[in-house]
């Protein structure tokens, strides 16, 4: 899978490697690709080779790939229209897609042809890929999970639709200036997006504000402000199965573009202000909601997604073919048999109230019927155990923005509490605990509770997380309806996270066990047979070392950072948050530094510690931790006594594309949150699949990783959930740990007293104070410090024996089959959605192949019109 460069043709070795997964390029296909590429350059970009830029070439190749998708995409939607399967709608406020070009080529199986065609045109795919912006429509794990799930739904032939928002600005670009994080807007649409198709014919009006009146004994929402929701569709191809599903992202548009009255009066700003205000709704991903205006915008974003999506779902339900294509389907009793709605966290929880509004107010269903339909259609995934992260909207704000929905939520709550009271007469505490409405000075609606009450299934995202939901956050609800609660351990797509990001490892695996693992990741367990095969162990070692050298070159080029490729590449990449404990990692780094300084002639296993991630713009402590990492790095990296035995690198602007670059090179994956804090984690799975060892607490999916690979093949440290609870209940005093551990005390004193910030000695006072205060160190770093440092010593010891280390790495790869998002999605399909996944491919599209003389023409068969296909 090595890619050809512009300098030399494919060598025999390259061609041999290609046979394993990509196959040899077929000459007629290469000619067809070249023809299509040149046609797009000429007719779409409207340039010739004399004036075209690399960005033009990127767009031409993207349109060429899209041409290969189109026939399959139309054919898939025609197939869904004809067969009328149950459709799955995945609602998420985040989709962290990253780049699409390579992923599309791999899933379509056209990578070799494109590589070869570009080479013959004097271009290299690697150079062109750099011109694609990451689609950064997510903050981290939640959004990336949604992206992996879409890939798996398409690969498993599920009629799945992703619904989200087309933010004009995605997650901010992070720059580091003087060690501090600075945020710059992510204008990812600046040069256009070749993958999206606008669908103005399916625009949907979304209502906000207004008031509710009674008319003929019915509630009517009037005097609303309208914003139009404009859909943009992105294709989501399955792997090698001719299925192409759709991600539909909504963009906010003003209902009228321009107020001529204002314009004629000379008030030009007011003339366009309405448009500007309306379009703010999808302007930026998750505004900071520390102040009222921000909260209102966030609420409007959530409702905008829900309202547009449900209108679209109902339109498709009514017009789907069901024996007779001429009439519409108005009987909503069968709605849950044809529609499954999955809420990705609490952000789309307003789905419950909006679906009730549509069914009762618009479709005229009785409340009881509508409620039964809503519950059977909806399911809710929870992603956090932290009570402060559960969304609660103030009643005043809801009344202002969504007055009818507040009435509906009150009615849902009233009927829900009547059932509770009937079951537990006189138990007022229980009634209070189970109320969706939280009484008090600032009356609030608990959106997680609304989602639970209005869903038929509620799931956590790792075994330990799902169990903790039942005993802590949602204990009362679990006691009320235990049958609703399930676990669905998260997963990652092996297409992006192994085939795409680590082609040499993919080839090494394919040579031993074939290629079925790409869609049946469990097959990787067959690699255990080769754990004592010296030649294979050497191959795995060589792949890792090549990846490490490549990363060293990349860091030198992009961050001007020189690192030692023979050192342990020790990585922690995730959002910067106190509970993820990047600070514990830094305390270990400072400890290593002090040990080398105290005994400079000792023998040490060299280590390069890489930390990457973004801090929320308003999160002061997280931003201070980034500054600390950089300050510690500055001292250590410039200390001649240390040399290349220890280096600290902060990975600036960590994103999906960077993850693809660095994860294949990792030796050690840091998953060190306090037990009971991380719902699941998915970076842990990506590192494991790519042959890194893991150092972790028994938190989130780490627990299941240890079960799969065996405790002897993973580095476990720290307190368990039970030990954390016990210590907290007994009264946790962090200062005791500080006083009795000399190395810990030295590290904290250095940080507090300005050793790493001589230009501003007080800079990190608040960081250390937050750990040493009587009620400080909420995430118990100091309690886990000693165990962590000792565990890191075991890591260094094992790394001295490369063969033993690589064998354990191989066992980790072999044990990562469970953590495929295909397995996760198959479980959702079976246990929650009631659909059947299949690896059976759809037939090839009937349309002529792009670049051939009958391109775009049906060669035989399908009579389904484009008009039917439009009912996507």
């Amino acid at each position: 899978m090595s890619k050809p460069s512009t300098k030399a043709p494919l060598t025999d070795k390259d061609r041999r490697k290609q046979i394993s997964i990509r196959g040899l390029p077929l000459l007629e296909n290469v000619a067809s690709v070249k023809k299509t590429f040149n046609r797009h350059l000429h007719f779409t970009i409207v340039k010739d080779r004399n004036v075209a830029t690399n960005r033009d070439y990127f767009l031409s190749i993207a349109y060429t790939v899209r041409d290969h998708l189109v026939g399959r995409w139309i054919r898939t939607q025609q197939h869904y229209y004809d067969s009328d399967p149950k459709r799955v709608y995945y609602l998420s406020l985040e989709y962290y897609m990253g780049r699409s070009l390579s992923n599309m080529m791999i899933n379509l199986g056209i990578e070799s042809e494109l590589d070869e065609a570009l080479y013959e045109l004097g271009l290299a795919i690697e150079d062109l890929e750099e011109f694609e912006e990451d689609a950064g429509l997510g903050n981290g794990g939640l959004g990336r999970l949604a992206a992996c799930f879409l890939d798996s739904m398409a690969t498993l032939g599920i009629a799945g639709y992703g619904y989200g928002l087309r933010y004009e600005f995605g997650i901010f670009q992070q720059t580091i200036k003087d060690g501090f994080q600075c945020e710059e807007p992510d204008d990812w649409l600046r040069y256009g997006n070749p993958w999206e198709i606008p669908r103005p014919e399916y625009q949907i009006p979304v209502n906000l504000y207004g008031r509710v009146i009674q008319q003929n004994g019915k509630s009517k929402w009037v005097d609303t402000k309208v914003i139009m929701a404009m859909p943009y569709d992105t294709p989501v191809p399955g792997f090698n199965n001719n299925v192409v599903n759709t991600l539909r992202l909504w963009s906010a548009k003003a209902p009228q573009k321009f107020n001529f009255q204002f314009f004629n009066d000379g008030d030009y700003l007011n003339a366009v202000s309405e448009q500007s205000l309306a379009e703010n709704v999808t302007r930026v991903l998750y505004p900071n909601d520390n102040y009222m205006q921000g909260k209102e915008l966030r609420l409007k974003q959530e409702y905008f997604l829900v309202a547009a999506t449900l209108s679209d779902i109902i339109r498709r339900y009514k017009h789907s073919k069901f024996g007779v294509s001429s009439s519409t389907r108005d009987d909503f009793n069968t709605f849950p048999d044809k529609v499954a709605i999955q809420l990705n966290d609490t952000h789309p929880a307003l789905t419950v109230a909006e679906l009730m509004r549509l069914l009762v107010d618009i479709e005229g269903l009785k409340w009881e019927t509508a409620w039964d339909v809503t519950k059977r259609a909806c399911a809710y995934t929870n992603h956090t155990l932290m009570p402060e992260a559960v969304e609660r909207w103030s009643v005043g704000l809801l009344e202002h923005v969504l007055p009818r929905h507040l009435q509906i939520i009150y009615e849902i709550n009233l009927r829900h509490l009547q059932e509770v009271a009937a079951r537990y007469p006189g138990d007022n505490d229980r009634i209070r605990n189970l109320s969706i409405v939280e009484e008090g000075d600032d009356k609030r609606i608990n959106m997680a509770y609304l989602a639970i009450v209005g869903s038929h299934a509620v799931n956590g995202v790792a075994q330990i997380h799902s169990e903790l939901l039942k005993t802590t956050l949602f204990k009362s609800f679990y006691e009320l309806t235990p049958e609703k609660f399930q676990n669905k351990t998260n997963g990652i797509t092996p297409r992006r996270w192994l085939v795409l990001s680590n082609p040499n490892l993919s080839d090494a695996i394919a040579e031993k066990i074939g290629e079925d693992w790409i869609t049946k990741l469990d097959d990787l367990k067959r690699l255990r047979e080769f754990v004592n095969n010296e030649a294979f162990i050497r191959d795995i070692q060589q792949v890792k070392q090549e990846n490490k050298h490549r990363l060293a070159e990349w860091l030198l080029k992009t961050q001007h950072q020189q690192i030692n490729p023979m050192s342990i590449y020790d990585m922690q990449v995730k959002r910067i948050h106190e509970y993820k404990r990047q600070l514990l990692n830094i305390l270990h780094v400072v400890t290593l530094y002090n040990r080398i300084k105290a005994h400079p002639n000792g023998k040490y296993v060299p280590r390069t510690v890489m930390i990457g991630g973004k801090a929320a713009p308003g999160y002061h402590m997280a931003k201070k931790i980034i500054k600390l990492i950089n300050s510690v790095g500055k001292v250590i990296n410039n200390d001649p006594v240390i040399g290349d035995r220890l280096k600290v690198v902060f990975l600036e602007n960590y994103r999906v594309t960077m993850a693809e670059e660095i994860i294949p090179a990792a030796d050690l994956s840091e998953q060190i949150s306090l037990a009971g804090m991380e719902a699941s984690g998915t970076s842990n799975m990506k590192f494991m699949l790519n042959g890194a060892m893991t150092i972790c607490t028994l938190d989130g999916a780490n627990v299941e990783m240890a079960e799969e690979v065996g405790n002897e093949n993973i580095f476990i440290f720290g307190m368990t959930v039970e030990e954390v609870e016990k210590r907290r209940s007994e009264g946790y005093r962090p200062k005791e740990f500080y006083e009795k551990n000399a190395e810990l005390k030295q590290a904290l004193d250095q940080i507090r007293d300005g050793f790493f910030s001589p230009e501003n000695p007080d800079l990190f006072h608040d960081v250390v104070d937050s750990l040493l205060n009587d009620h400080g160190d909420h995430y118990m770093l100091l309690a886990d410090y000693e165990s962590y440092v000792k565990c890191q010593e075991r890591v260094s010891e094992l790394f001295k024996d490369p063969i033993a280390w690589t064998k354990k790495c191989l066992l980790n790869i072999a044990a990562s089959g469970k953590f495929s998002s295909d397995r996760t999605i198959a479980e959702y399909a079976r246990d929650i959605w009631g659909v059947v996944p299949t690896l059976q491919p759809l037939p090839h599209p009937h349309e002529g192949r792009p670049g051939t003389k009958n391109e775009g023409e049906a060669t035989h068969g399908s009579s389904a019109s484009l008009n039917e296909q439009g009912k996507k």
Side-chain angles (χ1 to χ4, degrees):
M1 253 164 123
S2 311
K3 293 180 179 174
S5 73
T6 50
K7 295 187 180 67
L10 290 170
T11 64
D12 286 344
K13 183 183 173 197
D14 285 331
R15 289 190 186 282
R16 267 202 315 281
K17 293 198 87 163
Q18 282 189 345
I19 293 168
S20 62
I21 287 185
R22 295 194 306 178
L24 285 171
L26 298 171
L27 289 179
E28 64 271 27
N29 294 350
V30 172
S32 156
V33 167
K34 282 161 69 177
K35 182 179 169 186
T36 310
F37 175 86
N38 285 323
R39 182 168 51 78
H40 276 300
L41 188 63
H42 193 79
F43 290 107
T44 312
I45 311 296
V46 195
K47 293 230 185 136
D48 64 22
R49 293 292 298 268
N50 297 317
V51 293
T53 65
N54 272 352
R55 174 167 274 108
D56 298 327
Y57 294 141
F58 157 68
L59 287 168
S60 298
I61 203 68
Y63 288 127
T64 302
V65 172
R66 198 178 83 179
D67 282 0
H68 281 76
L69 280 164
V70 166
R72 293 171 171 86
W73 198 6
I74 290 173
R75 177 62 186 274
T76 302
Q77 303 309 320
Q78 288 170 345
H79 170 70
Y80 292 160
Y81 182 78
D82 290 340
S83 58
D84 191 27
K86 185 171 185 178
R87 289 165 163 89
V88 175
Y89 297 102
Y90 196 80
L91 272 67
S92 178
L93 225 51
E94 300 188 28
Y95 288 94
Y96 208 166
M97 303 298 283
R99 290 175 177 168
S100 291
L101 179 62
S102 291
N103 192 63
M104 300 272 195
M105 293 192 307
I106 284 168
N107 280 9
L108 289 171
I110 57 174
E111 205 186 1
S112 333
E113 279 87 351
L114 267 89
D115 268 356
E116 183 68 27
L118 286 173
Y119 164 70
E120 289 180 15
L121 291 164
L123 299 166
I125 193 104
E126 299 91 334
D127 298 338
L128 302 188
E129 279 170 340
E130 293 304 310
F131 288 91
E132 182 170 8
E133 302 280 346
D134 269 48
L137 306 183
N139 285 287
L142 180 91
R144 186 51 238 171
L145 181 80
C148 284
F149 278 6
L150 293 184
D151 181 273
S152 287
M153 278 192 257
T155 296
L156 294 174
I158 291 169
Y161 299 74
Y163 276 96
L165 297 184
R166 181 182 178 266
Y167 303 105
E168 206 175 302
F169 297 95
I171 179 76
F172 60 85
Q173 301 268 352
Q174 178 193 58
T175 55
I176 302 297
K177 290 179 183 161
D178 190 29
F180 287 99
Q181 168 179 295
C182 299
E183 299 92 23
E184 292 174 3
D186 169 43
D187 193 1
W188 72 290
L189 292 168
R190 185 181 341 157
Y191 300 106
N193 175 5
W195 307 112
E196 68 181 13
I197 311 283
R199 303 280 190 201
E201 69 275 24
Y202 291 115
Q203 279 189 95
I204 288 171
V206 173
N207 296 285
L208 295 163
Y209 306 110
R211 59 198 177 89
V212 182
I213 59 167
Q214 293 298 312
Q215 202 173 69
N216 304 326
K218 284 189 159 190
S219 295
K220 194 171 180 191
W221 188 15
V222 297
D223 299 341
T224 57
K225 279 191 180 169
V226 175
I227 298 175
M228 299 306 292
M230 161 95 153
Y232 288 79
D233 288 355
T234 300
V236 181
F239 180 75
N240 214 10
N241 65 349
N242 298 319
V243 171
V244 181
N245 283 343
T246 304
L247 167 62
R248 177 162 282 183
L249 300 177
W250 300 104
S251 182
K253 305 285 179 199
Q256 58 182 73
K257 281 287 182 193
F258 206 74
N259 190 318
F260 260 104
Q261 190 57 52
F262 282 135
F263 184 79
N264 291 336
D265 295 344
D267 189 350
Y268 307 120
L269 282 178
N270 245 332
V272 291
S273 71
E274 188 180 342
Q275 179 187 349
S276 210
L277 285 170
E279 294 177 2
N280 276 345
V281 172
T282 52
R283 188 84 68 207
V284 68
L285 168 73
Y286 285 28
N288 233 343
D289 63 357
N290 299 340
Y291 57 101
M292 200 58 189
Q293 195 57 43
K295 285 191 173 149
E296 186 170 321
L297 184 51
R298 175 64 178 274
L299 177 61
K300 281 175 10 187
Q301 280 189 341
E302 293 182 357
Y303 178 65
F304 181 78
L305 166 64
V306 161
T309 300
L310 285 174
S311 288
D312 211 37
I313 290 171
I314 287 175
R315 174 191 60 76
R316 193 178 293 109
Y317 170 77
K318 284 183 168 183
H319 294 101
S320 285
K321 184 174 174 181
F322 61 112
V324 190
S325 59
S326 56
S327 61
T328 59
R329 172 162 46 190
D330 293 316
D331 177 7
F332 279 89
N333 287 311
T334 59
F335 187 79
D337 303 325
K338 290 296 176 185
V339 171
I341 298 169
Q342 191 68 39
L343 311 178
N344 192 26
D345 217 358
T346 49
H347 316 135
L350 280 163
T351 295
V352 174
E354 172 68 1
L355 187 51
M356 285 300 289
R357 184 186 75 82
L358 291 170
L359 294 176
V360 173
D361 294 2
I362 309 299
E363 300 297 336
L365 269 68
K366 287 193 174 138
W367 180 280
E368 292 75 12
T369 309
W371 184 240
D372 178 62
V373 167
T374 298
K375 269 174 72 171
R376 284 167 54 213
C378 293
Y380 160 57
T381 301
N382 171 275
H383 285 276
T384 181
L385 283 161
M386 292 198 249
E388 65 271 21
V390 171
E391 284 189 305
R392 295 169 169 85
W393 290 112
S394 80
V395 163
L397 181 63
L398 271 171
E399 196 164 25
H400 175 54
V401 180
L402 299 168
R404 178 62 183 136
H405 296 76
L406 183 62
Q407 289 181 349
I408 289 169
I409 291 168
Y410 278 154
E411 181 68 19
I412 290 169
N413 196 45
L414 175 68
R415 290 170 181 245
H416 160 62
L417 292 182
Q418 282 169 349
E419 283 179 23
V420 174
R423 206 165 136 187
Y424 302 101
D427 193 341
N428 289 336
D429 283 347
R430 190 180 292 270
I431 289 172
R432 195 178 306 109
N433 290 339
L434 286 166
S435 176
I436 297 166
V437 183
E438 298 178 348
E439 303 290 346
D441 296 341
D442 183 16
K443 208 165 164 184
R444 290 178 177 271
I445 305 297
N446 186 311
M447 300 309 285
Y449 291 1
L450 176 64
I452 294 170
V453 172
S455 294
H456 70 276
V458 177
N459 71 282
V461 289
Q463 195 63 54
I464 186 173
H465 168 235
S466 299
E467 289 307 312
L468 286 168
L469 284 179
K470 296 189 229 176
T471 55
T472 58
L473 199 60
F474 300 146
K475 183 172 188 284
S476 301
F477 285 92
Y478 174 64
E479 289 166 355
L480 182 69
T481 50
E483 67 284 355
K484 276 190 187 184
F485 285 77
Q486 305 187 14
N487 174 58
K488 296 285 168 280
T489 299
N490 281 345
I492 57 171
T493 168
R495 271 76 62 185
R496 184 177 288 265
W497 296 111
L498 187 49
V499 180
L500 184 158
S501 60
N502 204 341
N504 291 348
L505 180 59
S506 302
D507 283 345
I509 293 169
E511 277 176 28
K512 281 285 178 269
I513 63 168
E515 296 170 34
D516 287 354
W517 58 267
I518 299 174
T519 50
K520 297 175 191 157
L521 202 62
D522 256 354
D523 276 11
L524 289 181
K525 61 177 175 285
R526 290 170 53 201
L527 291 172
R528 289 179 194 142
E529 301 163 26
F530 303 100
V531 74
N532 293 314
N533 179 322
E534 275 182 48
F536 187 56
I537 293 295
R538 271 200 305 277
D539 285 348
I540 299 292
Q541 259 181 310
Q542 187 184 341
V543 166
K544 180 64 78 176
Q545 206 51 49
E546 284 171 5
N547 289 341
K548 288 174 73 171
H549 277 283
R550 198 175 300 115
L551 178 57
E553 287 166 21
W554 186 79
L555 280 174
L556 190 59
K557 188 174 89 181
T558 56
Q559 294 199 194
H560 314 294
Q561 194 99 38
Q562 184 108 38
I563 61 172
N564 173 9
M566 303 313 291
S567 62
I568 299 178
Y569 280 14
D570 174 347
M571 295 189 189
Q572 186 179 17
V573 284
K574 48 190 80 245
R575 282 182 304 121
I576 308 292
H577 195 293
E578 287 164 280
Y579 91 81
K580 293 179 185 284
R581 302 206 294 191
Q582 284 92 351
L583 203 44
L584 180 59
N585 193 342
I586 280 298
L587 288 175
H588 173 244
V589 169
V590 173
T591 303
L592 287 182
Y593 170 73
N594 289 332
R595 286 179 180 180
I596 299 174
K597 290 291 278 187
H599 304 285
N601 298 321
K603 277 201 183 312
Y604 300 94
V605 176
R607 189 183 286 246
T608 302
V609 178
M610 302 180 212
I611 301 176
K614 295 174 180 177
Y619 190 172
H620 167 78
M621 185 56 77
K623 292 178 91 167
K624 191 60 83 73
I625 288 167
I626 291 176
K627 172 61 175 169
L628 175 62
I629 295 164
N630 284 302
S631 297
V632 169
K634 191 174 175 184
V635 170
I636 292 175
N637 299 347
N638 293 300
D639 190 325
V641 173
I642 301 297
D644 63 3
R645 293 183 285 186
L646 182 61
K647 285 272 184 272
V648 180
V649 179
F650 186 82
L651 300 162
E652 185 178 359
N653 200 34
Y654 179 66
R655 58 203 183 281
V656 172
T657 297
M658 185 188 282
E660 293 163 13
E661 200 73 44
I662 67 167
I663 288 171
D667 292 308
L668 185 67
S669 156
E670 301 262 357
Q671 308 296 335
I672 58 177
S673 51
L674 178 66
M677 286 293 155
E678 188 73 85
S680 166
T682 47
S683 74
N684 44 8
M685 302 167 187
K686 290 160 197 159
F687 282 111
M688 182 187 194
L689 182 62
N690 281 274
M693 295 292 288
T694 305
I695 183 166
C696 64
T697 52
L698 287 172
D699 197 20
N702 304 342
V703 178
E704 288 157 81
M705 284 165 53
E707 284 168 7
E708 293 296 304
V709 78
N711 283 5
E712 66 282 7
N713 297 309
I714 192 167
F715 296 102
I716 298 167
F717 76 94
M719 296 177 286
T720 62
V721 170
E722 295 74 26
E723 288 165 346
V724 168
E725 282 170 6
K726 184 167 182 283
R727 191 173 290 285
R728 225 186 267 293
S729 66
E730 289 170 356
Y732 174 52
R733 287 175 290 281
K735 212 155 191 178
E736 287 179 10
F737 292 92
Y738 164 80
E739 279 156 0
K740 72 179 185 198
N741 188 312
E743 285 190 314
L744 174 59
K745 184 174 189 304
Q746 181 188 8
L748 286 169
D749 288 350
Q750 285 170 310
I751 292 167
R752 187 190 56 210
D753 299 340
F755 181 85
F756 296 104
S757 55
E759 72 292 343
N760 182 357
D762 295 338
L763 184 60
F764 300 118
H765 257 200
D766 54 345
V767 176
V768 177
D769 286 350
S770 76
L771 296 177
L772 296 179
N773 287 342
D774 281 348
H775 299 291
D777 192 18
H778 183 67
Y779 300 108
M780 299 189 170
L781 284 69
L782 306 195
D784 273 351
Y785 167 84
E786 189 176 344
S787 169
Y788 178 56
V789 171
K790 284 186 173 152
C791 194
Q792 289 282 18
E793 288 166 9
R794 287 170 43 219
V795 170
S796 293
E797 197 53 43
L798 183 64
F799 196 75
K800 289 180 190 170
D801 183 344
I803 299 294
W805 177 277
T806 308
K807 283 182 177 182
K808 287 185 185 291
C809 292
L810 179 59
L811 289 170
N812 271 271
I813 297 169
S816 54
K818 175 179 179 177
F819 304 106
S820 168
S821 48
D822 298 348
R823 188 264 320 147
T824 313
I825 288 297
E827 288 181 4
Y828 274 101
R830 185 183 66 233
D831 303 336
I832 295 178
W833 302 333
V835 297
V836 180
T838 175
L839 287 172
Q840 191 70 33
L842 283 183
H844 261 283
H846 287 134
E847 285 73 24
R849 202 180 164 92
T852 60
K853 69 174 193 280
N854 59 346
E855 175 182 332
E857 295 170 11
T859 50
H860 62 280
S862 179
S863 62
S865 69
L866 281 181
N867 192 36
E868 306 298 7
Q869 183 268 330
K871 295 195 168 64
K872 294 203 259 202

